[in-house]
Every structure is written in structure tokens, then in C-alpha cells.
Amino acid sequence: TALATGQKTYNGAISVGHDGTPIKTVLEIAKDYQMSTGVVATSTVTHATPASFLTHIDYRKKEAEIARQMAKSEADIIFGGGAKHWSDDVLMDLEKHNGQYIVDLNDPYDPSRRLVGLFSADALEPHHEGRNPTTTDMAIKAIDILDNNTEGFFLMIEESQVDWGGHSNNAEYIRGEMESLSDLVQMCLDYQREHPNVLVVLTADHECGGVAVHDSNNGNLDIQFTSDYHSANFVPVWASGPGANFFDAMMDNTDIGNQLIKYVKNR
């Protein structure tokens, strides 16, 4: 919520304030400015981070209601997992709100309508177990669709499962997700070099697992954990493109959200 709206709230809330009042998100503001918008995630698309950019609800675990709000939202692209939360009724709501549903990234679609792609009943497979489609595959498809708008686009991409590797204290899980993230970042930077008017921001909502990395024999890494939950460790923020200089200091998470909103309004 802090990253999506520039405001803090209580733990578990999805873009509502302490009193339950909805807070407008950067994606909703981008829509006000005629931009195309989308979210890509490797979790269920109704998980906390993608949900916070598109919906408003008192508790993050209400994924069926989050799916219904997403179906009725104005987001042009929603890609990820979580088909089990999209009932037939929700898919009917999607249809009524100019949406369509695919289960394979290569399925045909109507470019004049919103597109929801759900590629697994639950979260997508971990990268080290052969995720298909990959995070980068989904991101490339989303960008290809969204960048046809002369007013620009806002796309939130989450490499969701780095967090889950931290929760499970599984170094192999984290390694695979970071490999996927590296591929994704390289694609985004290559795109940004070809489209220098695009701003790319990379950050995280938190660290998880209290990961400590030590050199070991033959260049291998010895990964140790101090927790199985979120830690207070700092996370980095990097940016490239116009406005990147605003993201070059120690920032509160709300500062990132508010700078993104300012960028959308003043781009």
C-alpha cells in the first residue's frame, strides 16, 4: 500500500487507510491520465502486492473479493497465477467490464479489450522448477501490448517468490528467483535504452529471512538465515531513465510511492 499509494496503513490492509477508506493508487491515477496500466506477478494475481495497485479491501486474505474487484477494474493487463480465485461469476464480471481471459500466453486475444492471463490455479511454479511462462515472458507480452498507447503506460512487475524463498530459508529457491529477476531486469533495461523516455524503478517491499551471504570454497556461497519472516534490513532502490535522480537516496517506502505518483502526473 505504501508503494502503491504513498500512504502507510495497518498490516494486512490493501490500499485502504486506517479507517478503511480507499486510497487512490498510482495505477488508478495513471488511468486518470489516459495511460495504459497493468500488473504482472508470479504469485496469485490477487496476492498483496498486485492487489494493492488495483483494489481496496480491509484484509489481504480475501482473494476472491480481490479477484472480483480486479475483474471490474480498468487495468488493461493482469498476468500471473491464481485461477482458483476467479470463479465463473467473477469471469462473467470480467466479460461485462470489457475483459477477456486466457490460460496460455500464446492464446489469441482481442487487442481492444482488457486481458487477464492466469497461467496456474495457484501461484506459478518456482523458477528453479521450470516456471512457464517465465516472469520475463509475461513482462515482454505485457509491455508489447501496453506500449501502443501514445499517452504511455504504467506496469508493475513483481518477482513475488523471492520472498517465499526467504520464508522457507531455502537458498536454492532464492537463487532461482534472483536468476529470474536478473533476466527480467536485463530485459527492462534493454527496453529502456531503446525507449529513453521510459522510467524503470527497481525496489522491494522488504527483506525476508535475514539472509547473510558468506564466501565458501571454490567461489560457492554459504547462505545463512537469521529469521523465517520479514526483517528490518534495508532494501535497495535503483532507477534508470527520466526522473531516476529522485530515487538515489535513502527513502521511506511512502516516498517511492509519492514520487511515482508525481512522475505520472508530471511526466
Side-chain angles (χ1 to χ4, degrees), residues 80-115:
K84 68 180 184 181
H85 296 296
W86 292 66
S87 66
D88 289 344
D89 285 348
V90 170
L91 292 177
M92 287 177 62
D93 283 337
L94 176 66
E95 184 80 19
K96 291 174 184 175
H97 288 80
N98 196 38
Q100 59 197 310
Y101 171 53
I102 61 172
V103 297
D104 187 291
L105 204 56
N106 297 313
D107 283 348
Y109 66 94
D110 180 348
S112 68
R113 299 170 65 199
R114 300 171 52 224
L115 182 60

Side-chain angles (χ1 to χ4, degrees), residues 99-147:
Q100 59 197 310
Y101 171 53
I102 61 172
V103 297
D104 187 291
L105 204 56
N106 297 313
D107 283 348
Y109 66 94
D110 180 348
S112 68
R113 299 170 65 199
R114 300 171 52 224
L115 182 60
V116 173
L118 304 175
F119 310 117
S120 177
D122 208 323
L124 300 183
E125 288 292 310
H127 180 78
H128 72 281
E129 294 180 4
R131 177 179 301 143
N132 183 33
T134 68
T135 317
T136 302
D137 289 339
M138 293 189 291
I140 288 172
K141 184 77 166 186
I143 291 171
D144 183 56
I145 295 169
L146 295 175
D147 74 357

Side-chain angles (χ1 to χ4, degrees), residues 73-248:
S73 75
E74 295 185 338
D76 299 285
I77 298 290
I78 301 172
F79 285 167
K84 68 180 184 181
H85 296 296
W86 292 66
S87 66
D88 289 344
D89 285 348
V90 170
L91 292 177
M92 287 177 62
D93 283 337
L94 176 66
E95 184 80 19
K96 291 174 184 175
H97 288 80
N98 196 38
Q100 59 197 310
Y101 171 53
I102 61 172
V103 297
D104 187 291
L105 204 56
N106 297 313
D107 283 348
Y109 66 94
D110 180 348
S112 68
R113 299 170 65 199
R114 300 171 52 224
L115 182 60
V116 173
L118 304 175
F119 310 117
S120 177
D122 208 323
L124 300 183
E125 288 292 310
H127 180 78
H128 72 281
E129 294 180 4
R131 177 179 301 143
N132 183 33
T134 68
T135 317
T136 302
D137 289 339
M138 293 189 291
I140 288 172
K141 184 77 166 186
I143 291 171
D144 183 56
I145 295 169
L146 295 175
D147 74 357
N148 291 316
N149 185 349
T150 57
E151 297 300 321
F153 68 91
F154 190 107
L155 176 64
M156 193 291 296
I157 309 168
E158 185 188 36
E159 192 70 80
S160 318
Q161 297 183 41
V162 178
D163 174 49
W164 301 353
H167 279 298
S168 61
N169 286 185
N170 186 329
E172 177 64 12
Y173 198 165
I174 293 174
R175 185 205 61 76
E177 297 309 307
M178 293 301 290
E179 181 178 66
S180 176
L181 179 64
S182 180
D183 291 342
L184 172 67
V185 170
Q186 187 61 60
M187 183 279 293
C188 290
L189 292 178
D190 288 345
Y191 176 85
Q192 196 274 328
R193 290 186 189 99
E194 295 176 2
H195 303 80
N197 61 326
V198 171
L199 171 65
V200 175
V201 178
L202 171 65
T203 191
D205 48 0
H206 56 76
E207 195 274 346
C208 185
V211 178
V213 181
H214 303 272
D215 288 329
S216 187
N217 295 328
N218 303 315
N220 294 318
L221 297 178
D222 177 22
I223 310 297
Q224 300 291 330
F225 299 89
T226 62
S227 168
D228 62 3
Y229 199 64
H230 304 165
S231 76
N233 288 350
F234 292 118
V235 297
V237 54
W238 292 285
S240 179
N245 58 303
F246 287 106
F247 300 92
D248 67 348

